[in-house]
Amino acid sequence: MVGSAARYLLGEDISPGDVDVVVADSPTNRNAVVGAMIELDGHLVIDDTLQPGTHRGPLAWEWSWKTMTSYGAVDVIVRFIDGT
């Protein structure tokens, strides 16, 4: 976990607006994360609209994607800007 939720867990006085999760980039991991988001009634945020999560198509994002779940927003990061 990274971002404001991680800063909160480390004791910083901050109210996270979402959860940022870093996942090693592979087809298996992407599929597992999409499956988890579907279980959480997740909807992908595409061009400011919500699309139901599905395993049917490839994700359009090279670096990351945002999902709205029944628990709140989740940003999934598969690569950082520097390519790592």
Side-chain angles (χ1 to χ4, degrees), residues 3-83:
S4 58
R7 290 171 39 204
Y8 172 79
L9 291 173
L10 289 172
E12 190 170 329
D13 187 19
I14 188 171
S15 296
D18 63 3
V19 173
D20 300 322
V21 179
V22 177
V23 178
D25 191 18
S26 73
T28 300
N29 286 347
R30 285 181 179 233
N31 199 33
V33 170
V34 169
M37 295 302 128
I38 290 170
E39 284 188 38
L40 295 172
D41 193 28
H43 287 72
L44 295 170
V45 179
I46 302 172
D47 297 327
D48 294 327
T49 62
L50 297 178
Q51 303 292 324
T54 178
H55 286 289
R56 288 180 292 168
L59 294 169
W61 302 271
E62 180 180 351
W63 302 99
S64 66
W65 65 91
K66 178 182 279 297
T67 306
M68 293 301 295
T69 72
S70 54
Y71 294 97
V74 177
D75 291 336
V76 179
I77 301 163
V78 295
R79 252 183 280 155
F80 292 108
I81 292 172
D82 69 359

